[in-house]
Amino acid sequence: RKEVEQDPGPFNVPEGATVAFNCTYSNSASQSFFWYRQDCRKEPKLLMSVYSSGNEDGRFTAQLNRASQYISLLIRDSKLSDSATYLCVVFSWGKLQFGAGTQVVVTP
Amino acid sequence: DAMVIQNPRYQVTQFGKPVTLSCSQTLNHNVMYWYQQKSSQAPKLLFHYYDKDFNNEADTPDNFQSRRPNTSFCFLDIRSPGLGDAAMYLCATSRISGTGGGEQFFGPGTRLTVL
């Protein structure tokens, strides 16, 4: 079983709509959680950390559910520039564990 | 201003011909990482340096070696590249924080092609 699992998508989203997707992790002792964004053929970049109480950053909302061992990302009012692969990242066993990513395609 | 720089951005090599990829950073971070990423897959950690301490992942092939001559520079040597080593190689840095792991800053990557 993979440490971090994500639905690969793609999630096709009309511009202005809301999209949400989850990521599950296997290590219940995981300490920190992040969402990274990766554009096609580019490097991953930190989008936001995920806090236990949930947190927002503009149009992006992240939630953590420790009991069920998943984190989620919600994007409101999707923009064309939100098209990317979103990597779920979990800090456990002393290192960052990356998911393979969820692809989001925002269409006009 | 580039903070993590990788050279070259694109590297073509022949099967079995050694290749060296380089990474430099201006962040003065004490941890540097090398990842391999293949299409539609998660970045796979090959090894990392905590200052001068080298940490190899258990499943990293012996074909992959690394050097960190100083804080700013780190090299990835692939001694005998095979067709399966064609991938994007990402260098990253971080400053270990109390929150665990902390943010990693990635370079733009080197895309390796093996002919």
Side-chain angles (χ1 to χ4, degrees):
Chain A
R1 184 184 172 187
K2 294 179 183 177
E3 296 282 342
V4 180
E5 297 208 55
Q6 297 184 248
D7 182 339
F11 284 66
N12 294 297
V13 186
E15 194 174 7
T18 296
V19 62
F21 42 90
N22 295 338
C23 152
T24 59
Y25 61 94
S26 61
N27 182 6
S28 59
S30 296
Q31 300 163 271
S32 318
F33 307 88
F34 309 89
W35 284 103
Y36 276 69
R37 170 191 170 130
Q38 187 171 27
D39 292 306
C40 187
R41 302 177 76 85
K42 297 287 184 70
E43 74 273 23
K45 292 184 179 179
L46 180 67
L47 178 67
M48 60 195 299
S49 301
V50 186
Y51 302 120
S52 297
S53 55
N55 49 297
E56 272 189 24
D57 184 358
R59 298 181 292 106
F60 298 83
T61 301
Q63 299 277 357
L64 167 63
N65 186 317
R66 282 194 182 271
S68 301
Q69 294 182 211
Y70 73 87
I71 66 174
S72 64
L73 182 66
L74 181 146
I75 308 173
R76 285 188 303 277
D77 188 22
S78 298
K79 312 292 184 189
L80 296 176
S81 58
D82 294 333
S83 297
T85 296
Y86 292 85
L87 302 175
C88 172
V89 184
V90 175
F91 183 75
S92 61
W93 304 118
K95 60 188 177 187
L96 291 184
Q97 308 279 358
F98 285 80
T102 294
Q103 186 184 7
V104 172
V105 179
V106 182
T107 56
Chain B
D1 293 333
M3 296 182 288
V4 183
I5 302 163
Q6 290 188 244
N7 285 302
R9 294 291 309 279
Y10 301 91
Q11 175 73 57
V12 180
T13 190
Q14 292 179 333
F15 183 95
K17 186 175 181 181
V19 67
T20 294
L21 311 182
S22 75
C23 176
S24 62
Q25 54 133 339
T26 58
L27 297 164
N28 202 33
H29 284 169
N30 55 340
V31 190
M32 294 186 77
Y33 309 81
W34 278 106
Y35 289 88
Q36 178 193 67
Q37 187 177 27
K38 297 185 178 181
S39 181
S40 301
Q41 295 185 20
K44 178 182 180 298
L45 183 64
L46 297 173
F47 22 61
H48 74 278
Y49 282 90
Y50 186 96
D51 292 325
K52 293 185 178 181
D53 292 335
F54 177 70
N55 298 273
N56 197 31
E57 293 301 300
D59 58 353
T60 298
D62 292 339
N63 197 26
F64 292 85
Q65 303 287 319
S66 184
R67 297 169 281 136
R68 189 180 186 186
N70 54 53
T71 300
S72 301
F73 285 87
C74 197
F75 299 96
L76 170 62
D77 301 307
I78 308 176
R79 293 193 295 192
S80 182
L83 297 179
D85 296 329
M88 174 79 92
Y89 289 87
L90 294 161
C91 174
T93 72
S94 74
R95 182 179 300 282
I96 293 290
S97 72
T99 60
E103 179 181 0
Q104 288 191 8
F105 294 82
F106 285 83
T110 295
R111 186 165 294 280
L112 178 67
T113 300
V114 181
L115 301 177

